[in-house]
């Protein structure tokens, strides 16, 4: 209904058998064991026929200690595990390399860690990061202080920042490895900004434009085509200082009023525009 392709987080605790079965469930015909399970749930034809590509990332921030029990913080071990799981997926009878995007995820701010992850895996299709914006705000008295750094940050990110650093890190490998974004939004969870100013920043029109602008710049400057906005539903997140930051949801009253934040509207506009068949090239 949305025209979006799915981005599935594959549990790190999966076995090779479970990984192969997942491929069969998504891509196998209804006469296979797991294709029959899918068919019994109301979807007779493979899910690969519904989407241009199914993105499959091994683990949700495997490097992140917050998720212990379902993560793998040691970089080389995570890369090695991805190699094993992706090998099992690729050997599955129903696997179609044109329909699946096998992804390993890294920590955007730590390119050294990401290099170790990628060095331990040679069968992933993509490497993904989360280049969040505006982690901390300590000046808020006017629009210039709130929004000038925000718009400048996205440009810096592509010129010398984490997106550029990770792109250059991947360029050092002998094979071509696309860079994707598994999450992006503001991340204003730090700084002395008061509640009133925080409420004027994160759910604002300026924030919506800034996030879409950042995604467009990464597409233009670094060829980062696949980018995932985080997230669909959420009203606010409580910071460690007790303040409530109106992140990360793009729809804040889903199923009732379906009120959408500016981030949603900006991305909707961008997606409609860049997918239009009537685009023309202009010279400036």
């Amino acid at each position: 209904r949305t025209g979006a392709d799915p981005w599935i987080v594959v549990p790190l605790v999966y076995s090779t058998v479970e990984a192969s079965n997942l491929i069969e469930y998504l891509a196998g015909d209804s006469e296979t064991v797991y294709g029959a399970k899918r068919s019994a749930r109301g979807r007779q034809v493979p899910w690969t026929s519904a989407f241009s590509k199914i993105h499959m990332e091994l683990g949700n921030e495997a490097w992140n200690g917050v998720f212990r029990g379902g993560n793998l913080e040691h970089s080389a071990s995570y890369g090695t595990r991805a190699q094993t799981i992706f090998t099992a997926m690729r050997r599955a009878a129903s696997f179609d390399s044109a329909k699946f995007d096998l992804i390993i995820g890294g920590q955007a701010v730590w390119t050294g860690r990401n290099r170790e992850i990628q060095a331990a895996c040679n069968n992933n299709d993509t490497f993904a990061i989360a280049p969040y914006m505006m982690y901390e705000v300590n000046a808020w008295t006017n629009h210039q202080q709130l929004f000038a750094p925000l718009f400048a940050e996205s440009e810096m990110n592509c010129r010398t920042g984490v997106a550029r650093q990770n792109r250059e890190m991947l360029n050092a490998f002998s094979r071509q490895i696309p860079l994707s974004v598994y999450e992006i939004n503001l991340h204003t969870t730090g700084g002395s900004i008061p509640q009133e100013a925080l409420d004027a920043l994160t759910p604002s029109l300026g924030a919506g434009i800034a996030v879409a602008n950042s995604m467009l710049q990464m597409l233009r400057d670094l060829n980062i085509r696949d980018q995932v906005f985080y997230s669909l539903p959420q009203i606010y997140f409580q910071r460690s200082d007790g303040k409530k930051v109106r992140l990360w949801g793009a729809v804040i009253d889903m199923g009732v009023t379906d009120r959408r934040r500016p981030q949603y509207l900006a991305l909707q506009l961008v997606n409609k525009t860049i997918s239009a068949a009537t685009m023309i090239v202009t010279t400036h």
Side-chain angles (χ1 to χ4, degrees):
R1 291 182 179 179
T2 64
D5 282 339
W7 187 294
I8 299 172
V9 174
V10 179
L12 267 168
V13 294
Y14 257 28
S15 68
T16 54
V17 173
E18 288 169 320
S20 180
N21 290 342
L22 176 58
I23 296 297
E24 189 175 279
Y25 181 86
L26 295 169
D29 61 50
S30 58
E31 296 181 357
T32 63
V33 174
Y34 276 81
K37 293 179 183 291
R38 179 198 65 242
S39 183
R41 299 182 69 180
R43 176 75 189 185
Q44 187 172 7
V45 297
W47 281 111
T48 45
S49 66
F51 305 107
S52 58
K53 187 159 288 190
I54 297 177
H55 306 271
M56 302 177 70
E57 181 182 7
L58 183 62
N60 175 60
E61 297 185 353
W63 50 267
N64 195 335
V66 171
F67 307 123
R68 282 178 183 165
N71 73 338
L72 194 54
E73 293 177 69
H74 187 262
S75 302
S77 298
Y78 169 59
T80 300
R81 187 62 187 165
Q83 177 83 16
T84 300
I85 293 296
F86 292 163
T87 296
M89 287 181 168
R90 291 182 184 279
R91 287 176 178 171
S94 303
F95 185 82
D96 182 351
S97 59
K99 286 291 185 178
F100 289 102
D101 175 25
L102 305 184
I103 305 163
I104 51 179
Q107 186 176 10
V109 298
W110 194 347
T111 53
R113 163 179 266 169
N114 298 343
R115 185 181 300 107
E116 291 177 359
I117 292 172
Q118 185 58 70
C121 182
N122 64 16
N123 63 355
N124 63 304
D125 295 304
T126 304
F127 195 99
I129 59 172
Y132 277 100
M133 307 166 65
M134 216 166 198
Y135 279 82
E136 186 173 294
V137 176
N138 293 304
W140 62 83
T141 56
N142 54 52
H143 285 162
Q144 179 74 10
Q145 289 184 333
L146 280 179
F147 294 103
L150 179 57
F151 279 86
E153 184 177 359
S154 58
E155 190 160 338
M156 179 275 294
N157 181 39
C158 290
R159 290 187 176 185
T160 60
V162 295
R164 171 66 66 178
Q165 293 166 16
N166 280 281
R167 179 63 271 166
E168 292 180 352
M169 178 273 294
L170 293 173
N171 288 344
F173 286 88
S174 58
R175 66 186 179 96
Q176 186 176 3
I177 306 167
L179 182 62
S180 289
V181 169
Y182 68 83
E183 290 176 14
I184 185 172
N185 200 338
L186 272 62
H187 200 304
T188 316
T189 52
S192 57
I193 181 171
Q195 186 67 64
E196 184 179 0
L198 199 56
D199 292 344
L201 171 65
T202 57
S204 68
L205 172 62
I209 295 173
V211 172
N213 174 60
S214 181
M215 297 172 83
L216 282 170
Q217 288 196 55
M218 288 190 289
L219 172 63
R220 181 194 66 187
D221 297 340
L222 302 173
N223 197 32
I224 302 179
R225 182 182 182 279
D226 296 318
Q227 302 183 45
V228 183
F229 176 81
Y230 185 79
S231 63
L232 192 60
Q234 185 164 316
I235 296 176
Y236 65 82
F237 174 82
Q238 186 158 324
R239 304 180 359 154
S240 59
D241 59 8
K243 296 168 189 167
K244 295 177 179 179
V245 55
R246 295 183 183 275
L247 289 171
W248 274 276
V251 181
I252 62 173
D253 196 11
M254 185 176 286
V256 183
T257 66
D258 285 330
R259 288 181 296 163
R260 295 160 172 81
R261 283 187 171 139
Q263 282 93 328
Y264 183 106
L265 300 174
L267 290 176
Q268 184 180 45
L269 178 62
V270 167
N271 282 328
K272 285 184 176 180
T273 304
I274 64 176
S275 62
T278 54
M279 292 184 70
I280 62 172
V281 175
T282 64
T283 301
H284 301 273

